Amino acid sequence: MWKGRLAIISLLVVSLLASLSMFTVGGASDDQLEVYSWWTGPGEEEGLAAMAEAFEASNPGIRFVNAAVSGGAGSNAKAILASRLLANDPPDSYQRHAGLELLDDVRSGKVQDLTTLYEEQGWRKVFPKGLLDNLTIDGKIYAVPVNIHRANLIWFNPRVLRELGIAGPPKTWSDFLAQAAVIKGKGKVPLAVGPEWTQKHLMETVLLGELGADSYERLFSGDLRWTSPQVTSALDMFGKVLANSDVRSAAGEWQPQLDRVIEGSAVYAVMGDWSSSYLEQSKKLQWRDGYDVATSPGTEGVYDFLSDSFTLPTGVRSPSLSRRWLIECGSADGQNLFNPLKGSIPARTDASADLYKGYLGWTLQQWRDPKTRIVGSLAHGVVANNAYNAEIDSALGLFVQHGDLGKFASTVQQQFQETR
Ligand code: GAL
């Protein structure tokens, strides 16, 4: 009898201990949220920190773990993420760009479908249709956009232009070449560039400026060949533009690229509008005064966009916790907290314009103008999947080294087919 009771008691104790230990394991894994991005630069770091603080305040007891890996455009972060995903060790949420950059993750089952979350939160009504289309793959939606950035911009120091007697930034790339001759004559570098991804970013804006929005889109949808006369002539222009840059000596990230423009050793830099928060917050410069910016040559009225978005990876420890983060990313409060610090504009159409002053006010007005033509960025994941982008990177590296335009065009054309 006693033996029987003892057995029952020990069974109860064992199962109690087991459930306690399960609870402890679950509790330990549920008390933090690891968010993976490449936001370590000025502005973006502050924006992320503000979101982290708000997340912790509304989720008491949960620690926000910032797993950011430095390197512009995710140049390092994406490689490390790939190995974590391969090892089934995903962070609780990770940054991706809206567009084809998501495709590989979706096809390999690395991210979860967020369609229901979109319905619950009413997000289909608050994000622009074009953006929703870029986040949708095979009818399902896989990431939550926190912002909009613009890629087709040329940055300069107005004082330097005045000193050189240049009336304004170039309207076309041919104008740029004409200005470049004057600039070089005065001992300055016409265009500052940075690491490889900034060279691809530059190529994208030259293609857009030379081809126009329609042909640019046709190039990435496969209707226009890289080897066609039209694209060959645009690439030829890209080669000439590069020849007027400091590509041979350029070192460092995108911030030093802008530093050279502000100091005046170089005159222009093509870069996305994360530059505005760097120039304003780190360099304490004012738009239209200490720095200025225009649409990159030949792209007036066109908005080459990209959007930072966050995912719900497959196999995360607590999907409901990750969802809470995604809800913050997609909320009006989250976007209004993040974007003015980050130097980007809200992805939501209902976010108030009042918070966006100076450069950000200017670009928000253009983003929302129905006459603006919107196209997607290559270097920031909208129009090419990761495999295609990686092939373009290798071919571009060789082109920059050896200048063989024909080889570049034929390789990229072939890779378009092979990476589809
Ligand atoms: C982009 C990203 C921006 C910014 C930039 C520089 O790819 O969308 O948010 O981080 O790279 O690193």
Side-chain angles (χ1 to χ4, degrees):
M1 167 107 169
W2 271 109
K3 270 194 184 159
R5 277 193 188 160
L6 256 178
I8 291 171
I9 289 170
S10 38
L11 245 176
L12 279 174
V13 170
V14 167
S15 56
L16 184 69
L17 281 176
S19 64
L20 266 179
S21 81
M22 263 172 63
F23 178 77
T24 320
V25 171
S29 63
D30 284 357
D31 66 2
Q32 65 174 49
L33 175 92
E34 187 195 16
V35 172
Y36 191 93
S37 74
W38 55 87
W39 288 334
T40 59
E44 47 198 37
E45 192 174 33
E46 282 80 7
L48 183 60
M51 294 268 280
E53 199 182 309
F55 183 84
E56 287 185 346
S58 54
N59 294 280
I62 311 286
R63 196 162 62 90
F64 184 99
V65 178
N66 178 359
V69 173
S70 66
S75 41
N76 304 321
K78 285 177 182 173
I80 297 172
L81 177 67
S83 57
R84 284 190 62 172
L85 295 183
L86 205 63
N88 292 322
D89 173 31
D92 298 310
S93 183
Y94 62 83
Q95 177 186 1
R96 277 284 192 230
H97 290 118
L100 290 175
E101 191 175 294
L102 285 162
L103 188 68
D104 302 346
D105 295 352
V106 172
R107 294 272 152 86
S108 56
K110 296 294 181 197
V111 285
Q112 301 189 37
D113 175 11
L114 298 172
T115 309
T116 322
L117 187 65
Y118 268 71
E119 261 134 42
E120 276 165 28
Q121 299 295 319
W123 282 340
R124 284 192 189 278
K125 287 187 227 94
V126 296
F127 293 127
K129 177 168 183 310
L131 178 59
L132 287 169
D133 290 347
N134 271 295
L135 292 160
T136 305
I137 293 173
D138 300 336
K140 294 177 183 154
I141 196 153
Y142 288 96
V144 179
V146 70
N147 67 1
I148 299 293
H149 267 306
R150 187 177 198 176
N152 59 320
L153 294 162
I154 188 163
W155 305 80
F156 56 96
N157 178 342
R159 180 183 51 78
V160 172
L161 286 203
R162 277 195 303 273
E163 284 168 9
L164 289 166
I166 294 176
K171 294 254 181 263
T172 63
W173 284 108
S174 302
D175 268 4
F176 167 80
L177 295 182
Q179 286 194 10
V182 176
I183 295 169
K184 281 197 291 195
K186 304 222 168 145
K188 290 183 189 289
V189 174
L191 187 73
V193 296
E196 281 177 6
W197 70 267
T198 69
Q199 298 158 28
K200 183 163 67 171
H201 185 126
L202 174 65
M203 179 182 77
E204 148 182 352
T205 59
V206 175
L207 286 173
L208 182 60
E210 290 292 290
L211 296 174
D214 283 344
S215 297
Y216 174 87
E217 287 195 324
R218 288 174 56 233
L219 179 62
F220 290 103
S221 66
D223 294 338
L224 179 63
R225 296 179 69 81
W226 284 82
T227 47
S228 65
Q230 198 185 353
V231 180
T232 305
S233 122
L235 286 173
D236 185 51
M237 176 58 90
F238 172 57
K240 290 183 178 140
V241 170
L242 260 192
N244 282 285
S245 77
D246 53 10
V247 66
R248 298 276 165 237
S249 61
E253 263 295 338
W254 58 273
Q255 293 95 336
Q257 190 184 344
L258 290 167
D259 291 347
R260 296 198 287 284
V261 171
I262 295 308
E263 288 152 11
S265 58
V267 177
Y268 295 111
V270 167
M271 190 33 61
D273 54 5
W274 37 92
S275 307
S276 76
S277 63
Y278 172 63
L279 296 172
E280 293 189 13
Q281 292 172 40
S282 284
K283 298 278 146 181
K284 308 280 175 240
L285 299 172
Q286 295 232 320
W287 178 60
R288 298 279 196 235
D289 177 26
Y291 79 93
D292 209 346
V293 56
T295 47
S296 57
T299 67
E300 177 99 50
V302 181
Y303 205 109
D304 182 15
F305 99 100
L306 56 126
S307 170
D308 293 308
S309 306
F310 282 88
T311 56
L312 174 54
T314 307
V316 291
R317 295 163 299 181
S318 170
S320 66
L321 196 56
S322 301
R323 257 186 224 109
R324 275 186 261 159
W325 160 248
L326 296 178
I327 290 170
E328 182 181 335
C329 292
S331 70
D333 285 352
Q335 303 212 343
N336 286 338
L337 185 65
F338 176 73
N339 285 301
L341 292 167
K342 169 71 166 89
S344 44
I345 55 172
R348 287 181 71 114
T349 51
D350 61 347
S352 152
D354 298 348
L355 290 169
Y356 302 91
K357 310 272 184 231
Y359 165 76
L360 290 179
W362 177 75
T363 203
L364 180 59
Q365 179 260 319
Q366 289 175 50
W367 169 253
R368 290 185 173 173
D369 183 345
K371 291 194 295 298
T372 298
R373 173 70 188 272
I374 295 171
V375 299
S377 168
L378 164 70
H380 307 278
V382 185
V383 294
N385 66 36
N386 296 338
Y388 187 34
N389 243 319
E391 295 297 343
I392 296 177
D393 289 342
S394 319
L396 184 59
L398 292 174
F399 173 64
V400 171
Q401 257 184 311
H402 307 297
D404 189 341
L405 199 154
K407 176 111 177 52
F408 173 73
S410 59
T411 308
V412 174
Q413 181 57 42
Q414 188 188 343
Q415 289 306 329
F416 176 78
Q417 313 298 342
E418 287 181 14
T419 55
R420 294 200 89 179

